[in-house]
Amino acid sequence: MRLGKIFAILASCVFALFALSGCANVGNGKQIVRVAHSQTEKHPEHTAIVAFKKYVEERLGDKYEIQIFPNELLGGQKKVIELNQTGAIDIVIVGAPNVETVEKTFEIFSIPYLFGSKEAYFATMNDPSFTEKIYKTPEHAGFRVVTWYNAGLRSFYAKTPINTPDDMKGLKLRVQQSPASIAMVNALGGAATPMAFGEVYTAIQQGVIDGAENNELALTANKHGEVAKFYSNNMHQMIPDIVLANVRFLEALPEADRKVFMDGFKYSTEVELVEWEKQVEEAKKYAIEQQKVTFLNVDMSKFREKMLPLQDEIVKNNPSIKEYYDYIQKVNDKVEKEKKEAK
Ligand code: GCU
């Protein structure tokens, strides 16, 4: 039986159980809080959400039990977003582009070469005046963002070397299920193939696609480095993963409990950021030494040049992101200025 089918059966069993138990209390009188994500149990996000579980249960363990479902066990990211909207899953961790079709402001993060540096990316994501506003925008759809996790830098990787955009001509490359990501690969001459993250390994292995684009952990934690041996350091995006919580679930929590949950989310981000830096270094080493992946030091400006017109196009077609885009340009300039002054 295919693994996907086993998961599907498992997921329907779990949902049957959810239905029986209802959303609130189970046998021991505790409220079950369900969290779904798509990474493995070794991934920084899993470590972070386990830290969240511990944080909340240490303080409110008599009232709540946090149950974590990793590995797309309850479905791919698009699916779990739907389940988060209905309240079947209270909390989900997804890549920001997956929210684009529900709430257009989230297209901001898919803009290629949006952040001029990692410093600018972090300054933006750590600025409450930016996050508090954008986090609330999907409330009309039933959820809001409660915190962010670093998901590194995204670059292309494939079975054949991609040194310049010309090498992408005709290549089928997997992207996240987001219109902006599709436009990005197509603008470079590739054939964008959107699909769920969990399907990528098999798709490359079986030749359905030629490669994908992601951070270095995708090579190791998700084993893509076993089937795609060339990683181009072209760094076209820094896209946060976001933790979404169902609005009704959050608002039903007594105020003091909600504060513990919110502090727990914040704490989990601190854990994730540290764990990310550690694991990404290990991943690069493992990919080179064990998986024999070649890291190509490509000329980033060639990719950037081709993608810059897309920035204006995306902003022009989506007025809801203009204010966020302008704000990030200011952060980029400020960081550059500070860097120059420090020299
Ligand atoms: C990263 C990110 C995930 C996302 C994935 C993808 O791994 O952390 O949230 O799903 O990329 O490309 O789909």
Side-chain angles (χ1 to χ4, degrees), residues 318-342:
N318 182 356
S320 75
I321 60 179
K322 175 90 171 83
E323 60 176 303
Y324 299 104
Y325 182 77
D326 291 344
Y327 163 86
I328 293 168
Q329 298 315 311
K330 281 195 196 126
V331 178
N332 283 340
D333 293 346
K334 188 168 169 263
V335 170
E336 274 322 295
K337 202 169 150 238
E338 281 166 6
K339 275 191 186 174
K340 271 194 197 131
E341 281 166 7

Side-chain angles (χ1 to χ4, degrees), residues 248-304:
R248 268 178 289 128
F249 156 75
L250 273 184
E251 285 178 356
L253 294 173
E255 208 177 320
D257 295 2
R258 194 178 327 128
K259 179 163 183 340
V260 173
F261 275 75
M262 293 310 291
D263 289 347
F265 290 128
K266 203 164 160 222
Y267 168 63
S268 74
T269 297
E270 289 165 20
V271 171
E272 201 269 346
L273 296 185
V274 174
E275 191 62 21
W276 180 272
E277 296 303 332
K278 197 177 116 221
Q279 285 204 25
V280 89
E281 284 315 311
E282 288 167 3
K284 280 186 212 164
K285 195 163 180 280
Y286 184 86
I288 294 169
E289 289 173 8
Q290 306 295 324
Q291 294 178 316
K292 309 290 176 212
V293 172
T294 304
F295 279 70
L296 305 163
N297 284 317
V298 302
D299 179 356
M300 194 172 93
S301 65
K302 292 209 171 110
F303 291 85
R304 198 163 179 272

Side-chain angles (χ1 to χ4, degrees), residues 38-39 45 77 94-95 151 154 174 176 197 214-215 241:
S38 48
Q39 308 289 357
E45 291 182 357
Q77 299 196 358
V94 297
R154 295 180 80 93
R174 179 270 175 176
Q176 299 193 69
F197 190 42
N214 216 317
N215 56 58
D241 278 346

Side-chain angles (χ1 to χ4, degrees), residues 2 25 84 150:
R2 276 187 48 234
N25 299 338
N84 189 232
N150 182 20

